[in-house]
Structure formats: structure tokens, C-alpha cells
Amino acid sequence: MAKLLSCVLGPRLYKIYRERDSERAPSSVPGTPTSVTNPPSSSWASVFWSISYYSSPFAFFYLYRKGYLSLSKVVPFSHYAGTLLLLLAGVACLRGIGRWTNPQYRQFITILEATHRNRSAENKRQLANYNFDFRSWPVDFHWEEPSSRKESRGGPSRWGVALLRPEPLHRGTADTFLNRVKKLPCQITSYLVAHTLGRRMLYPGSVYLLQKALMPVLLQGQARLVEECNGRRAKLQACDGNEIDTMFVDRRGRAEPQGQKLVICCEGNAGFYEVGCVSTPLEAGYSVLGWNHPGFAGSTGVPFPQNEANAMDVVVQFAIHRLGFQPQDIIIYAWSIGGFTATWAAMSYPDLSAVILDASFDDLVPLALKVMPDSWRGLVTRTVRQHLNLNNAEQLCRYQGPVLLIRRTKDEIITTTVPEDIMSNRGNDLLLKLLQHRYPRVMAEEGLQAVRQWLEASSQLEEASIYSRWEVEEDWCLSVLHSYQAEHGPEFPWSVGEDMSPEGRRQLALFLAQKHLHNFEATHCTPLPAQNFQMPWHL
């Protein structure tokens, strides 16, 4: 009877993978995973529930206007609702009986219960052969697990990790009680916009109906990572209580040296590790750790900046303290909006090896203003700054290590005008802010003008033409940088170029721009080929 109840209340089982041999090479041809068919009634019920949830305010307003919320109308309606609940309970019981008669599901529920009681390596290995509702997956790593976290007072609290806070919109204004009362309506409006329309526009991948439509593709992507790449799935618990879905592919046992490096991938606003940018470093031979944003697929929560940073923090801690990688062997690779968590990790973990930002931007405000009416400018700016502040450039400037920016020359998402206007690509602003912070003397008027001309080039031929026009001598640039580093140390910002001629500053500015930004002739969502995945330049 207990086993029958476990089958009724147990999680949905999607696939059963064949037993994996730890000695098997990851490139071997996979067997076909067993697919477990679930009753369509439960799937449709979840879809109807999601539609009802989002449409409930309009439904209540309609019923109120029609007078259906009076007591005389509610009582008969409650009878219908009770009948519907009984039918759903009957469907759940029938589903449980069907599971109970299935030996594969009974074996799965036995392994799951044993793993919850005893999280031994053998139980986890057996559980990894099943793909099921991730809510029932046991937690593999907790944010407080590292002993250094328990002893440190400067680490994250249960409220979250530290973020850079935006400056007040009106500096110098006295923060009196009267001013707070005047601002209250605007603050309430910004909060409502951010938590309803804004968050879903910024992270469409968190919308349940979209995830439901993508479920077959996500399951296929998980099967590929597990079967072909010998990936290991894990659940991490962040300091805010959110559970983060991760996938780790270990290449340290192979002959290629890049397998000793770990690439942590940060996906876009509708990207999932199952079908996202993890494929690029995988094809390049690196060890890879992918994770899903809060509210995406198996991860819980909602993707606000604080939750995003909390998730990134536990992912980095998991890579260091559980997977055994040193910070010097970890590379952060981000695509699009994933640049926020990547730059936060670079700012918070300065010993990380390198940061690669593909099709990312400097700040969210210009991109948000692009898609909203001009009359909403004040509301949009206030909402972004207070609730959705993705300040990538500000965070990246706090990082001292190597950085590579990849600019899509036909990007239609992070341009503020049209894709053909390459100078409206916000990746340009990200590069300029980084160089102006690190080399302020070089990026004076002459250097800034030369880099802007170089950024206007949309092809390699135009880039080479500008490069040769200013007669950039790379050997001279390297000798200047090496001499300054040897005398003053590697910490930015540098005062190199202070006593340099305008021609020298132009040469050095172009040299640094070319080393920090590579062009990729493609649109925003085109997968980055493995040959374009290169390590950033450093002295």
C-alpha cells in the first residue's frame, strides 16, 4: 500500500537512460534512451492551470461585472468545482495505479526513496540513469557547504550576495519623509511593472507555457549531454533557497590539455543549458558546467538580478569545492544577457582565469528604451535601475583578468537602431568603457577617436585598412605594455600613455581594441563555432 501511495504522489518520469560505464569514452555512440510515456491528462491539466493562473484577474473582473460573484451564484458554481476536483483526483489515482503496475517506475521510485534516505555515491549513480521531474531530485550541493563560508562573516547571507547598487536618480536631494511619500506611487508602479510585464519580457524563458512548448527539445538535449558526453546532473541550493539545475561534463581524463580547464556557461534570456551555448566549449574540448537561470526548466525562483547573482555564486562554489577546479582554471563564458552573471562572477571572484562575453551589452537601459514608447522613458529608466539593473560594464570594470568580447556584426537584438548600423551595437560601448577604465590615458581624445573608427568597420578588410592606415606596430605596443607592467605592476587602471604622442596613443588604442574584441559575422542567435571560441589575450 505504501508503494502504491508513492506511485500516486511520485514525480513524473520522462526517460530512462541505459546504465553508463564510467570507463566508457564520452565520444562513443550512445544507446537509445527509454522514453516513458505519461498520461496526457496530467500534461493538459498543468497547461490549463497555467492559462487559468495568468487569466484569473481578467476572469474575476468579468464575473464581477456580470454579477456572478453573488452568494446565490457562487454556491452552484462550487458544486461544479467540487465535481471537477473529484474527477482530477480520480485521474491521479488511475495514474498512480498505472505507475504501480509498471516495473520500471516501481524500480525508479525505490531508487529515489533510497537516495533521499541515504545519499551515497552508488544511489546517486543509479538515480542519474533517470530523467524525471527535477523538483524531486535531492540537493547535491548547498551554498553553506564550504567550510570557509561558515567561518566567514563577509560571505553571502540568506538575503543574497552583494550587488552594485545604482546611484540615486536625483543626487543631492534630501531624503525626507515628504519626498518618500511623493515617490511612493512611482515606486509602486515600477515594482508592478517589473514583477509582471518587465520580468517576462526580459526573461521570456521563465514563462511556463514557453517551457512547456520546448519540453521535447529540452529532454532531447539532456539525453544528448548524458548519453553522448557522459554529463552529470546536479541540484544546487543557493543562499535564497532557489534550487539551480546544472549539468557537468568532465574532460579532465582526456589527452587534450584544454580539458583541464572548466568553462562555466551563462545562457541568454531564452536559453537553457540543454540547447544553449554549452555546445561551443564542448566541441572545443573543454570541461563544461552549464546551469539554468532561476525559473528556467528545473531551476526554481524568478530571474531577478539578485536571484541571478545568488545562483551564479553557488555555481562557482560548486565548481571549486565539489568539482575540484581551482579558480585559475575556471573560464566564464556568457552569451547575451548571461553577461550579467558572468561579469558579477568576475567581479566577485577576481582569481578566475578569464571572461568571454559573446553578443553582450554594457547596460540594459538603452535596450529597454529601444522597445518601449518614448512617453514611458522615465518609468522604464526607473524600473530598470531599481529592479532590473543589469550593469554589465560597471561590474566588468571591477575585474582585473583577461577579457574577450565577441561582437556579432549582424546583431538584431543589442543594437539600438537597425542591425545594419553596427555603431549602435551596445557591445561597442562595453568595449569602450572597459578600455577607458583600464587605459584612461591611452583612451584620450585621439585614442578614442581611432577606436571608434575601427569599430565602424563591419568586415575584416575594413578593419585591416584602418589598422594599416595608422601604421600600428604590434612589437612596439607590446614592449610599451611590458615595460609599464614590469615597473608598476599588473593592477588596473594603468597610466600608460601619459607622456605619449597622439600617434602613439592611436597605435596603442587600436592594438588594445583588436586584442579585446573579435568580430563574428552572424546574427544574435547563431551558435558560435568552436573555432571562434578562443582564450582572451593577456600579457
Side-chain angles (χ1 to χ4, degrees):
M1 188 63 184
K3 186 64 67 177
L4 177 59
L5 183 61
S6 298
C7 292
V8 173
L9 302 177
R12 183 177 302 172
L13 179 60
Y14 299 115
K15 287 183 181 294
I16 303 175
Y17 304 118
R18 63 183 177 85
E19 283 284 341
R20 294 176 293 172
D21 184 3
S22 59
E23 300 297 326
R24 174 176 59 88
S27 60
S28 61
V29 179
T32 303
T34 303
S35 178
V36 179
T37 304
N38 291 283
S41 57
S42 60
S43 178
W44 280 107
S46 62
V47 173
F48 284 137
W49 169 257
S50 180
I51 295 175
S52 302
Y53 174 78
Y54 289 114
S55 61
S56 57
F58 304 100
F60 276 108
F61 180 74
Y62 175 81
L63 293 175
Y64 174 76
R65 292 294 302 270
K66 292 294 183 180
Y68 290 126
L69 295 182
S70 60
L71 186 62
S72 59
K73 299 292 182 63
V74 170
V75 172
F77 177 76
S78 63
H79 295 164
Y80 296 121
T83 303
L84 180 60
L85 290 176
L86 287 175
L87 288 175
L88 291 176
V91 170
C93 292
L94 289 175
R95 182 186 65 178
I97 294 173
R99 290 173 171 178
W100 184 63
T101 57
N102 187 331
Q104 291 178 327
Y105 192 90
R106 286 207 313 272
Q107 182 183 16
F108 156 70
I109 204 68
T110 301
I111 295 174
L112 179 61
E113 291 175 344
T115 305
H116 278 287
R117 289 192 302 267
N118 180 15
R119 300 180 185 180
S120 64
E122 177 60 23
N123 286 340
K124 288 184 177 181
R125 186 191 66 80
Q126 294 185 22
L127 189 64
N129 293 320
Y130 298 90
N131 188 352
F132 56 96
D133 190 342
F134 202 62
R135 289 173 294 184
S136 299
W137 189 288
V139 174
D140 297 289
F141 184 83
H142 193 272
W143 70 281
E144 285 184 323
E145 185 170 323
S147 57
S148 59
R149 285 293 177 90
K150 299 176 182 178
E151 299 170 358
S152 174
R153 294 183 179 180
S157 66
R158 294 190 180 276
W159 294 102
V161 297
L163 292 179
L164 297 179
R165 299 298 176 185
E167 294 183 358
L169 294 179
H170 305 286
R171 299 184 63 181
T173 304
D175 191 18
T176 62
F177 177 76
L178 183 59
N179 285 333
R180 292 183 181 181
V181 172
K182 290 180 180 179
K183 296 177 183 177
L184 188 59
C186 295
Q187 292 176 348
I188 293 176
T189 303
S190 296
Y191 179 88
L192 293 176
V193 170
H195 286 74
T196 54
L197 179 66
R199 190 258 296 176
R200 290 171 176 83
M201 288 183 62
L202 188 60
Y203 289 94
S206 64
V207 177
Y208 176 78
L209 292 178
L210 177 61
Q211 295 183 31
K212 199 69 180 178
L214 292 175
M215 183 60 73
V217 180
L218 299 182
L219 292 177
Q220 185 178 5
Q222 280 187 5
R224 180 184 67 86
L225 291 171
V226 172
E227 291 283 345
E228 296 183 19
C229 304
N230 203 19
R232 301 204 304 265
R233 200 178 185 189
K235 176 187 283 189
L236 319 181
Q237 186 170 0
C239 58
D240 53 12
N242 288 337
E243 296 171 344
I244 307 303
D245 184 6
T246 68
M247 181 70 73
F248 171 56
V249 178
D250 194 354
R251 297 283 179 80
R252 284 174 290 188
R254 304 179 68 179
E256 293 81 355
Q258 60 265 36
Q260 305 300 317
K261 298 282 187 178
L262 175 68
V263 178
I264 299 180
C265 299
C266 304
E267 300 291 344
N269 65 352
F272 304 81
Y273 72 70
E274 293 89 342
V275 291
C277 63
V278 298
S279 59
T280 298
L282 275 178
E283 292 178 10
Y286 291 88
S287 296
V288 173
L289 176 59
W291 61 282
N292 281 330
H293 297 282
F296 282 52
S299 297
T300 62
V302 288
F304 282 103
Q306 184 66 67
N307 297 345
E308 288 277 297
N310 296 340
M312 188 65 192
D313 178 67
V314 75
V315 169
V316 176
Q317 288 292 319
F318 175 70
I320 296 173
H321 295 283
R322 179 60 61 84
L323 301 182
F325 286 91
Q326 296 298 317
Q328 297 81 4
D329 295 326
I330 297 177
I331 301 151
I332 306 296
Y333 169 51
W335 172 63
S336 190
I337 209 171
F340 172 74
T341 50
T343 55
W344 180 89
M347 173 185 68
S348 305
Y349 293 88
D351 293 333
L352 293 176
S353 175
V355 174
I356 303 174
L357 302 179
D358 179 13
S360 195
F361 52 88
D362 63 321
D363 188 34
L364 181 62
V365 170
L367 298 175
L369 292 174
K370 160 191 159 183
V371 298
M372 303 303 290
D374 289 339
S375 58
W376 291 23
R377 175 176 292 271
L379 174 62
V380 171
T381 303
R382 186 184 308 108
T383 301
V384 170
R385 286 287 177 251
Q386 293 181 356
H387 303 283
L388 302 167
N389 190 34
L390 305 186
N391 49 346
N392 298 352
E394 185 180 7
Q395 294 184 150
L396 185 62
C397 289
R398 303 291 183 96
Y399 177 60
Q400 298 285 325
V403 175
L404 174 63
L405 308 180
I406 300 175
R407 182 180 66 166
R408 310 292 184 103
T409 58
K410 301 177 182 178
D411 201 309
E412 73 281 13
I413 301 298
I414 64 169
T415 49
T416 54
T417 55
V418 293
E420 292 76 19
D421 183 12
I422 196 170
M423 283 305 293
S424 70
N425 188 310
R426 296 304 298 188
N428 301 333
D429 301 86
L430 183 57
L431 173 70
L432 292 175
K433 290 178 180 178
L434 177 65
L435 293 182
Q436 286 175 324
H437 169 76
R438 292 190 169 189
Y439 312 97
R441 301 294 186 272
V442 174
M443 294 298 293
E445 184 177 352
E446 301 86 0
L448 181 61
Q449 183 180 5
V451 173
R452 287 188 181 276
Q453 292 178 1
W454 180 78
L455 288 172
E456 290 179 0
S458 57
S459 66
Q460 293 183 353
L461 185 61
E462 293 180 13
E463 285 183 36
S465 175
I466 296 173
Y467 210 66
S468 60
R469 183 196 311 169
W470 296 111
E471 299 179 349
V472 179
E473 298 180 13
E474 295 194 356
D475 292 338
W476 175 80
C477 294
L478 284 173
S479 66
V480 170
L481 295 174
H482 279 298
S483 299
Y484 181 89
Q485 186 184 51
E487 184 177 353
H488 298 89
E491 187 173 351
F492 296 110
W494 286 9
S495 60
V496 61
E498 191 171 15
D499 301 323
M500 195 175 291
S501 65
E503 291 77 12
R505 282 197 290 268
R506 290 192 190 98
Q507 287 193 45
L508 201 54
L510 286 173
F511 174 80
L512 292 170
Q514 189 188 50
K515 293 298 183 182
H516 284 81
L517 185 141
H518 292 174
N519 279 329
F520 176 44
E521 295 186 12
T523 57
H524 187 77
C525 296
T526 303
L528 184 71
Q531 61 267 24
N532 291 77
F533 187 79
Q534 302 172 8
M535 288 299 101
W537 168 83
H538 64 91
L539 282 175

